[in-house]
């Protein structure tokens, strides 16, 4: 998917995925994540599963340090990504890091501007001003996520006029346009109808050729459909991790077996 030379506008990070070591997160006096050690492999889809309140979204939000916006948060441990230690990154280094690790939001949230400007926005922030190049970038990424034919005649109309499924794909294109290496998705299909959900799922499957993808999902069926690797969390701890085939077909932990059998949600 990255065979389009005009979009090669930013340096890439050489990496083998994400490596989380002894990660602990406190929010105030509450211990949210407890000695988390996980590996997120490159160019795979890793799904984080577990009941509500187990720390899935907190872990995901640590990968690009959006967790910093939470009042009273304290982070200890290491999250390694290429030559970066995400936990130790600050200032301009953190800003650069966030370009390499994009986030697809839970609910569609297009910027209050046109379809075209939603895609071009991040590129302009990072110094791309040439109109011809911006036109090429916008078309490329709208084609990439299967939205071009649906919107090419109305690129300069408000993005808010798109359907929910179209808006979510637009948000995905916006994330891709700044050329991240990792895509994070937090329940990114939960607000969509089944048809739109399947389209977004298929996009993630297609995109893993070029991106490392981490998805938080409450839907076991979704994880079973698209995951290459699975992390099961419970009460802030990682209970089990492995390939999707290993975790779903031959779980090693009793708690994992109970969760997969619907004993709790």
């Amino acid at each position: 998917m990255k065979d389009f030379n005009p979009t090669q506008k930013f340096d890439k990070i050489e990496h083998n995925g994400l490596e989380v070591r002894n990660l602990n997160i406190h929010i105030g006096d509450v211990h949210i994540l407890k000695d988390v050690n996980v590996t997120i492999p490159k160019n795979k889809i890793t799904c984080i599963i577990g009941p509500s309140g187990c720390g899935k979204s907190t872990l995901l939000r640590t990968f690009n340090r959006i967790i910093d916006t939470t009042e009273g948060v304290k982070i200890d441990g290491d999250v390694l990504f290429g030559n970066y230690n995400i936990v130790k990154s600050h200032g301009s280094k953190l800003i650069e890091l966030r370009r390499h690790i994009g986030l697809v939001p839970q609910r569609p949230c297009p910027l209050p501007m046109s379809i075209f400007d939603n895609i071009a926005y991040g590129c302009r922030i990072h110094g791309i001003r040439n109109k011809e190049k911006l036109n090429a970038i916008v078309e490329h990424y709208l084609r990439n996520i299967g939205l071009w034919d649906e919107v090419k005649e109305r690129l300069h109309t408000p993005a808010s006029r798109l359907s929910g499924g179209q808006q979510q794909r637009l948000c995905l294109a916006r994330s891709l346009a700044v050329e991240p290496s990792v895509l994070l998705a937090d329940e990114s299909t939960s607000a969509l109808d089944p048809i739109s959900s399947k389209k977004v799922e298929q996009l993630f499957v297609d995109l893993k050729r070029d991106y490392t993808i981490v998805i938080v999902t409450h839907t076991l069926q979704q994880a079973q459909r698209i995951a290459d690797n699975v992390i099961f969390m419970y009460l802030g701890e990682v209970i089990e991790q492995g390939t999707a085939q290993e975790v779903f077909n031959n779980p090693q932990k009793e708690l994992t077996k109970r969760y997969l059998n619907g004993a709790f949600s």
Side-chain angles (χ1 to χ4, degrees):
M1 285 193 178
K2 293 187 179 176
D3 55 349
F4 182 62
N5 290 333
T7 69
Q8 301 300 311
K9 52 198 176 291
F10 301 119
D11 293 335
K12 311 300 289 184
I13 287 181
E14 291 296 326
H15 71 96
N16 292 313
L18 295 162
E19 187 74 29
V20 181
R21 299 178 182 173
N22 304 317
L23 181 66
N24 286 271
I25 293 185
H26 292 78
I27 298 177
D29 295 327
V30 182
H31 197 174
I32 305 296
L33 295 185
K34 305 167 185 175
D35 294 319
V36 170
N37 290 273
V38 296
T39 298
I40 308 292
K42 184 178 181 180
N43 295 122
K44 303 289 186 183
I45 296 177
T46 297
C47 284
I48 307 175
I49 63 173
S52 297
C54 70
K56 302 186 299 294
S57 293
T58 299
L59 178 59
L60 190 81
R61 294 171 70 220
T62 303
F63 293 153
N64 68 349
R65 293 277 299 280
I66 296 298
I67 190 66
D68 290 15
T69 62
T70 303
E71 185 176 355
V73 68
K74 181 183 177 184
I75 309 175
D76 292 304
D78 300 293
V79 180
L80 306 178
F81 172 60
N83 292 323
Y84 286 87
N85 186 335
I86 292 172
V87 172
K88 304 298 194 296
S89 296
H90 299 285
S92 60
K93 194 171 184 179
L94 181 56
I95 293 171
E96 174 66 7
L97 173 70
R98 284 176 174 154
R99 186 188 66 72
H100 291 284
I101 303 180
L103 177 65
V104 182
Q106 181 175 18
R107 293 184 176 274
C109 58
L111 300 172
M113 54 185 65
S114 71
I115 295 167
F116 182 97
D117 287 335
N118 263 267
I119 308 299
Y121 180 77
C123 300
R124 287 179 175 133
I125 285 178
H126 290 284
I128 306 297
R129 293 286 187 271
N130 181 276
K131 185 176 180 180
E132 183 178 348
K133 191 165 189 176
L134 287 172
N135 287 340
I137 289 168
V138 169
E139 179 176 347
H140 175 69
Y141 285 104
L142 286 175
R143 286 188 183 278
N144 224 5
I145 52 86
L147 199 55
W148 175 253
D149 288 338
E150 299 172 39
V151 303
K152 61 184 178 182
E153 303 299 333
R154 47 179 174 144
L155 291 176
H156 298 288
T157 62
S160 58
R161 295 181 186 174
L162 296 173
S163 70
Q166 288 173 325
Q167 288 184 16
Q168 191 65 307
R169 283 186 284 156
L170 180 70
C171 291
L172 179 55
R174 187 177 70 206
S175 297
L176 296 177
V178 294
E179 294 184 353
S181 298
V182 178
L183 280 175
L184 311 176
D186 190 357
E187 295 284 351
S188 57
T189 62
S190 63
L192 303 181
D193 62 86
I195 293 175
S196 296
S197 294
K198 288 291 180 63
K199 287 182 178 179
V200 173
E201 285 181 11
Q202 187 57 51
L203 281 170
F204 285 134
V205 172
D206 294 340
L207 288 167
K208 72 180 180 181
R209 291 176 295 176
D210 300 303
Y211 303 90
T212 300
I213 300 174
V214 190
I215 297 174
V216 164
T217 180
H218 279 95
T219 308
L220 278 176
Q221 291 83 356
Q222 182 177 72
Q224 289 168 335
R225 284 193 296 269
I226 67 175
D228 298 300
N229 293 274
V230 174
I231 297 168
F232 170 55
M233 298 185 67
Y234 186 71
L235 296 180
E237 298 182 13
V238 171
I239 305 302
E240 191 160 351
Q241 62 179 308
T243 68
Q245 184 174 2
E246 290 169 345
V247 174
F248 289 132
N249 297 335
N250 189 30
Q252 299 300 301
K253 304 293 185 181
E254 184 61 31
L255 198 59
T256 311
K257 295 176 184 177
R258 290 176 56 204
Y259 179 72
L260 295 177
N261 289 329
F264 55 92
S265 59

